[in-house]
Amino acid sequence: MEETFKRWRAEDRSYYVETTLPFAANDRNGHLKPAEVFRLFMEIAGDDFGERGLSHKYMMDRGYYFILTRAQVHFASDIPDTARVTLRTWPYKTRSLQVYRGYEMRDADGALVACGTGVFMIIGPEGKPIRMSDFPFLSWDDAFCDAPVEYESKGRIRAKGDLAELGTVRASFNDLDRNGHVNNARYLAYAQDCLPVELQNRHITDVAIVYDAETREGADLHVRCDASACANDRLQPGEDGWVSVYGQGENGEPSFGCRFRFADAEAPQGSEGGE
């Protein structure tokens, strides 16, 4: 059973939640599920803003809402389900239309379990992204903490050549969140569910995702990979150790792109996550 013990804001202005890891956060092999960790990180981000008086309801009543544009998470270690963990989140910079946020998960001894970053936009009452300097409810300089050292997601994840089909997913009612479109964590679940079983069972060390378009209920998403990486019904990591997967609509329009890196597929010396 998931249980929250305490919440607090530290002197450096970052926000903490001490809780237990949900039973559903681990897969059948005892590895953390990327989609579940993303969900936990996004929820604590909402808690952070809610504690500042900017709850989802407060924002939506005034015609504003956050959308995640890209994110990346590094998994440093596995941890048993129901174990006690401490989650931390903090905004660390804005750039034009975007706000950047860091995340950490640590075990009861303070050892790092997972960390990452997310990049958000704020959609205003007219349905368009607004500049962070024009956001009327918060002075960002009063919220910033230090930037994370690593794991900032960079660039787009776009298909550049021929693609091979991995599967098709239809967005259902339970995939949606309060904004009326597919929740950001569900796209990672779509992508991982369409991987070959051999890759599903391997330990994921890093995942990055970029969101190109919102998906509504009933829409079909085609999950595809680079044809050059798929041979004899096997999907092989590239030379950098990553597997790229793309979600596309009925007409091939991009919905999302994500990349997985696995524990037994090491990246070359000096390579970095993201693009």
Side-chain angles (χ1 to χ4, degrees):
M1 179 178 177
E2 186 177 354
E3 182 179 1
T4 297
F5 300 97
K6 61 180 180 178
R7 304 169 183 268
W8 71 96
R9 187 171 302 285
E11 291 184 0
D12 68 355
R13 295 180 284 195
S14 57
Y15 186 72
Y16 288 82
V17 173
E18 185 181 89
T19 185
T20 53
L21 192 70
F23 175 76
N26 279 334
D27 64 22
R28 63 190 176 196
N29 301 305
H31 302 315
L32 286 169
K33 297 177 184 176
E36 287 297 315
V37 174
F38 265 58
R39 181 183 65 82
L40 289 171
F41 282 165
M42 297 311 114
E43 285 182 356
I44 190 179
D47 291 344
D48 180 10
F49 280 118
E51 197 272 344
R52 296 177 186 272
L54 300 176
S55 67
H56 290 296
K57 184 179 186 307
Y58 182 93
M59 294 276 285
M60 294 182 70
D61 286 349
R62 289 155 179 78
Y64 293 84
Y65 65 94
F66 289 96
I67 61 170
L68 183 66
T69 62
R70 63 186 187 271
Q72 181 163 315
V73 170
H74 170 70
F75 300 93
S77 65
D78 282 326
I79 187 170
D81 51 75
T82 72
R84 187 176 296 201
V85 295
T86 299
L87 305 173
R88 176 191 176 216
T89 188
W90 66 101
Y92 60 92
K93 72 176 179 181
T94 59
R95 180 182 296 163
S96 184
L97 301 173
Q98 298 176 318
V99 57
Y100 292 70
R101 178 177 284 277
Y103 303 94
E104 286 183 354
M105 178 192 294
R106 295 184 179 271
D107 67 16
D109 296 322
L112 182 67
V113 176
C115 59
T117 59
V119 183
F120 295 82
M121 289 195 302
I122 299 176
I123 304 301
E126 297 181 356
K128 297 180 180 180
I130 66 170
R131 290 186 176 274
M132 295 300 112
S133 57
D134 296 332
F135 184 56
F137 306 120
L138 179 67
S139 172
W140 293 108
D141 289 342
D142 295 334
F144 286 157
C145 303
D146 292 339
V149 176
E150 297 177 322
Y151 309 120
E152 181 174 318
S153 180
K154 300 177 182 179
R156 295 186 177 273
I157 303 173
R158 286 287 181 86
K160 299 178 181 179
D162 294 334
L163 299 179
E165 192 87 5
L166 292 174
T168 301
V169 180
R170 176 162 294 178
S172 67
F173 176 82
N174 282 297
D175 293 327
L176 310 182
D177 57 24
R178 183 63 180 83
N179 293 329
H181 53 75
V182 172
N183 181 265
N184 56 75
R186 293 299 302 153
Y187 294 94
L188 275 174
Y190 291 164
Q192 191 176 14
D193 284 347
C194 290
L195 291 175
V197 173
E198 186 271 334
L199 289 183
Q200 290 176 344
N201 285 321
R202 281 163 62 179
H203 182 201
I204 294 170
T205 61
D206 298 271
V207 62
I209 187 164
V210 174
Y211 301 93
D212 294 294
E214 298 173 348
T215 302
R216 302 287 177 175
E217 182 180 2
D220 285 335
L221 287 180
H222 297 273
V223 181
R224 295 166 170 149
C225 66
D226 296 312
S228 59
C230 189
N232 300 320
D233 295 324
R234 293 178 62 86
L235 181 57
Q236 299 293 335
E239 292 183 359
D240 57 359
W242 293 84
V243 166
S244 296
V245 177
Y246 316 101
Q248 298 183 332
E250 282 296 305
N251 299 316
E253 65 276 14
S255 169
F256 69 91
C258 69
R259 306 176 76 205
F260 298 96
R261 187 159 58 186
F262 304 89
D264 53 350
E266 295 182 356
Q269 187 73 22
S271 66
E272 296 181 355
E275 290 191 340

